[in-house]
Amino acid sequence: MQIRKFILVITLLGISIIYSQQKENTFFEYLDVFELEYASDPQISPNSKQIVYRRMGFDIQKDRSKGSLWIVSSKGANHQKLTSQEANESQPRWSPNGNQIAFVSSTDQGSELFVYWKDSKQFARITQLKESPSSISWSPDGKQIAFLMKVPKAPPVIAKMPTKPKGAKWAKSPRITDRLKHEADGRGYLSPGFTHVFIVPSEGGTPQQLTYGDFNHSGTISWHPNNQEMYVSGNRNEDWEYDYVNSEVYKIGIKNKTIVPLTDRKGPDFRPVVSPDGKKIAYLSFEDKVQAYQLRQLHIMNTDGSDKRIISQNLDRTISRFQWDSKSKGLYISYDEYGNSKIDYINLEGTTKRLANNMGGTSIGRPYAGGSFSVSNEGVIAYTHSLPAYPAEVAILKPKDKTPKLITQLNNDLLGNRILGEVEEIWYKSSIDKRDIQGWVVYPPNYDPSKKYPLLVENHGGPILNYGDRFSAEIQLYAAAGYIVFYPNPRGSTSYGEEFGNLLYNNYPGEDYNDVMDGVDELIKKGVAHEDQLYVTGGSAGGIMTAWIIGKNTRFEAAVVAKPVMNWISKTLVADNYYGYANYRYPGQPWENVQGYWKFSPISLVGNVQTPTMVMVGMNDLRTPPSEAKQLYHALKLRKIETVLVEIPEASHGIAARPSNLITKVAHTLAWFEKYRIKK
């Protein structure tokens, strides 16, 4: 078994982040969640001298996340807020000459484009928009800014209602839709309309719409150096609504508003970025093979769409982000590998060189991947750096340096006075096929190996996702409560290659259950865990796995099943993404393959469950609707198995999006487990 430990006393190039066990230090606790901060979207200036980034925190009064833009020198000096306004700021982007920063500022009145002038430190709103802008992009000459924005469209009209009397209080009008995708978890009802490309003078003025029609455009907008053309992805195919996996790269003429498709393969072609010399376009794509997991690979082509080829074919990993180098000879890329996010350099022949590890830390609740990077003209990388000891900080890596330098210390004031749980990476063999399976163990603060601790198994969501060596408020709260926490990456997890991730195709839940239980057995064998003190939880796909586990065995003292899918037939036809499951998860539509869908539904095992089970779900969850959780709760009640149903008001699938709900989730989970610890 391979073991790698992360000791929470870290010194990184002269910046000490000390988690010492002093008398005044305490364990991580609930209200600390509101005090956490993290960096996101760091953008380094073209000359490498400054970084502007989004500083994220939480408002304890409004119970919401908040973000403002801060600027800091690449040496870590002159760290200050970019503007004086109290608004939610995002998407900072340097002008090509580095003299200005464009960004989006959002208030209750809406979102607008702003520009900040570095020399004068003045900023101003340059738009009056009806909808929120996104994907902002400077023209190479700095005279214009492109962005995406939704253009509303009238809903279909089915009936004409009579005019209500003056002052009458009738019921609200019905929502009427004829669209395939008409709602989204966390957003609710999607008002009719389509996302189009706009440009506006960088000194302010009237936005000009460049694309039209009942089509959506998405992702990055990339300008050609000639300032006359730009590139964007979207799906303008005739049957685009049902061709939802597909997208193409389009060239847009600025003056004549021509739109020319440059790709036509079956599958998504997206995030086009033009090389600085204007000769090539890099973009992400995969050939849709209709399977559970498919790698996003890095492609390049000429700017006229010719000579398409993959350059990341030797890297069996999904590319998440990329950026051209200033000489157009290669690109900087990021991807996940074995639960850790990497930054590499790849040349146009496909040869890669590792540059940085530990990108991430922007997923506060659980230890998921995340984070981003940007690169200056000189090849200096600014990125979000995280370890289990802290959420994302801004790190700088110069071309000749082997180790990064942290230039922010957003959580020293809090975490410097907290004793966190130690995180340990473990590897073990699958009993199914002897594959190497990765997991992580978090020990309670001040862990004493001579004592006996309960084991809490935390299953990750997705299932096409991964946990890793990243900070997690939820995991640390479990550890602070005296639990050893085990979170595995069973088959189906990302960052281990396409074949490993695709083992769940028409086999989910399947042997991933065995991978989880093999990890539990390994920890029992090592004396870390104990058969009579096992507890299990997980949310979303982790809720599915938890429900599957208690339907397969009775080894756990208690379980918390959060936001699960219990019945694939009902889930597939009522979730917000109902149209995307057939054939990619199980063959055929539910009515064409009833037995196949039922075979993998955890509700089919409910007659076996003996484990006391808490069922938890957000009442506004559109991804795994409350009706799924209620199927489990109602079945257990009818069978007289100890159970409770926790319904969290106004919470969508991302229960922990609001800090108080993150605390609610963890507190109720621990309260349920403690009930059965007391009985022991």
Side-chain angles (χ1 to χ4, degrees), residues 362-655:
T362 55
S363 177
I364 292 294
R366 291 184 281 170
Y368 285 125
S372 61
F373 71 91
S374 63
V375 188
S376 72
N377 292 338
E378 290 81 19
V380 180
I381 302 172
Y383 70 103
T384 52
H385 183 284
S386 177
L387 290 177
Y390 52 85
E393 301 283 359
V394 178
I396 289 291
L397 183 66
K398 296 181 179 179
K400 294 183 180 180
D401 290 344
K402 294 183 179 180
T403 55
K405 175 184 178 182
L406 295 185
I407 60 171
T408 62
Q409 304 175 62
L410 302 181
N411 289 286
N412 277 12
D413 55 340
L414 171 67
L415 298 181
N417 293 303
R418 296 293 182 268
I419 306 171
L420 299 182
E422 182 181 300
V423 180
E424 177 181 272
E425 179 186 11
I426 68 168
W427 288 84
Y428 55 94
K429 295 291 185 181
S430 168
S431 61
I432 297 296
D433 52 15
K434 304 304 178 184
R435 290 176 186 270
D436 292 323
I437 305 297
Q438 183 193 40
W440 307 85
V441 180
V442 184
Y443 297 94
N446 298 334
Y447 172 69
D448 183 349
S450 67
K451 294 182 179 179
K452 188 176 180 179
Y453 296 85
L455 181 75
L456 188 158
V457 179
E458 163 65 41
N459 295 294
H460 74 62
I464 310 297
L465 286 173
N466 69 81
Y467 273 164
D469 51 340
R470 309 167 181 118
F471 179 84
S472 166
E474 293 186 29
I475 299 297
Q476 288 295 337
L477 287 170
Y478 291 142
Y483 289 83
I484 294 175
V485 184
F486 170 55
Y487 57 91
N489 277 332
R491 66 193 63 212
S493 300
T494 55
S495 77
Y496 306 86
E498 188 171 59
E499 188 265 347
F500 187 85
N502 202 45
L503 289 171
L504 297 186
Y505 178 68
N506 198 30
N507 188 33
Y508 172 66
E511 285 84 13
D512 48 335
Y513 158 78
N514 302 87
D515 292 346
V516 174
M517 296 309 301
D518 289 340
V520 173
D521 291 339
E522 179 72 16
L523 293 175
I524 291 175
K525 179 181 176 182
K526 291 180 63 64
V528 173
H530 308 278
E531 187 65 40
D532 62 345
Q533 292 199 49
L534 302 178
Y535 303 83
V536 62
T537 188
S540 193
I544 297 171
M545 176 54 63
T546 303
W548 196 259
I549 284 173
I550 61 176
K552 286 283 190 178
N553 68 64
T554 58
R555 295 175 60 182
F556 292 86
E557 303 301 306
V560 175
V561 177
K563 49 187 180 182
V565 173
M566 293 304 300
N567 184 334
W568 283 110
I569 297 173
S570 56
K571 142 74 177 181
T572 301
L573 293 175
V574 299
D576 65 330
N577 59 348
Y578 69 99
Y579 50 83
Y581 281 89
N583 300 314
Y584 288 92
R585 186 63 56 79
Y586 310 111
Q589 295 286 357
W591 58 89
E592 299 169 334
N593 183 17
V594 173
Q595 292 303 315
Y597 276 71
W598 182 255
K599 174 183 176 182
F600 296 107
S601 295
I603 198 68
S604 68
L605 302 178
V606 76
N608 302 332
V609 176
Q610 299 296 324
T611 307
T613 302
M614 172 181 283
V615 186
M616 186 184 303
V617 69
M619 295 176 69
N620 291 349
D621 193 330
L622 296 177
R623 186 58 48 85
T624 56
S627 57
E628 291 296 310
K630 287 180 180 179
Q631 289 182 60
L632 175 59
Y633 172 69
H634 291 164
L636 294 180
K637 286 301 292 184
L638 290 172
R639 294 193 55 241
K640 298 183 178 180
I641 302 299
E642 291 183 88
T643 184
V644 294
L645 175 63
V646 179
E647 296 179 285
I648 303 177
E650 301 180 4
S652 60
H653 192 65
I655 291 176

Side-chain angles (χ1 to χ4, degrees), residues 157-322:
V157 177
I158 295 179
K160 186 175 182 179
M161 294 289 291
T163 302
K164 67 180 180 180
K166 184 177 181 180
K169 296 182 179 180
W170 287 13
K172 292 182 179 179
S173 300
R175 294 187 338 202
I176 304 171
T177 187
D178 59 359
R179 291 164 292 149
L180 185 73
K181 184 175 180 63
H182 57 89
E183 58 184 1
D185 183 73
R187 296 168 61 190
Y189 174 69
L190 300 177
S191 60
F194 296 91
T195 303
H196 287 287
V197 180
F198 291 78
I199 56 174
V200 66
S202 59
E203 294 181 353
T206 302
Q208 177 186 1
Q209 186 173 341
L210 298 183
T211 60
Y212 293 86
D214 290 352
F215 307 106
N216 285 307
H217 305 81
S218 61
T220 57
I221 300 174
S222 183
W223 291 76
H224 192 279
N226 64 16
N227 295 291
Q228 300 303 311
E229 299 166 346
M230 63 174 62
Y231 301 83
V232 70
S233 58
N235 190 337
R236 298 179 63 88
N237 298 331
E238 183 178 354
D239 198 33
W240 63 268
E241 188 171 24
Y242 290 88
D243 192 23
Y244 49 83
V245 175
N246 196 33
S247 62
E248 310 296 351
V249 173
Y250 296 92
K251 178 173 68 174
I252 301 174
I254 307 300
K255 289 185 177 180
N256 55 17
K257 299 182 182 180
T258 56
I259 302 175
V260 179
L262 300 182
T263 60
D264 60 0
R265 70 185 299 170
K266 179 186 177 183
D269 300 299
F270 61 107
R271 295 184 194 169
V273 180
V274 183
S275 59
D277 63 11
K279 295 180 179 180
K280 297 186 181 300
I281 300 171
Y283 61 102
L284 297 179
S285 181
F286 64 79
E287 185 76 27
D288 185 13
K289 293 175 284 189
V290 189
Q291 60 188 37
Y293 179 50
Q294 306 184 75
L295 294 180
R296 297 193 301 266
Q297 296 180 306
L298 185 62
H299 293 62
I300 59 171
M301 62 180 170
N302 295 331
T303 50
D304 63 0
S306 63
D307 193 24
K308 297 179 180 69
R309 60 190 178 96
I310 304 172
I311 65 170
S312 64
Q313 67 271 17
N314 296 326
L315 186 64
D316 187 22
R317 300 289 183 268
T318 277
I319 308 300
S320 57
R321 297 175 182 270
F322 64 92

Side-chain angles (χ1 to χ4, degrees), residues 106-121:
S106 303
T107 64
D108 293 338
Q109 284 71 47
S111 299
E112 299 288 354
L113 271 176
F114 279 68
V115 168
Y116 172 90
W117 286 266
K118 190 184 68 171
D119 292 341
S120 65
K121 296 184 179 181

Side-chain angles (χ1 to χ4, degrees), residues 321-366:
R321 297 175 182 270
F322 64 92
Q323 181 179 329
W324 282 98
D325 70 16
S326 60
K327 297 181 180 179
S328 304
K329 295 184 178 298
L331 301 101
Y332 299 86
I333 61 174
S334 64
Y335 59 91
D336 293 347
E337 182 171 63
Y338 303 133
N340 188 276
S341 299
K342 314 292 186 181
I343 301 175
D344 283 10
Y345 180 82
I346 184 170
N347 63 26
L348 300 186
E349 287 69 49
T351 301
T352 59
K353 178 183 178 181
R354 175 64 46 76
L355 299 177
N357 303 310
N358 304 311
M359 188 185 81
T362 55
S363 177
I364 292 294
R366 291 184 281 170

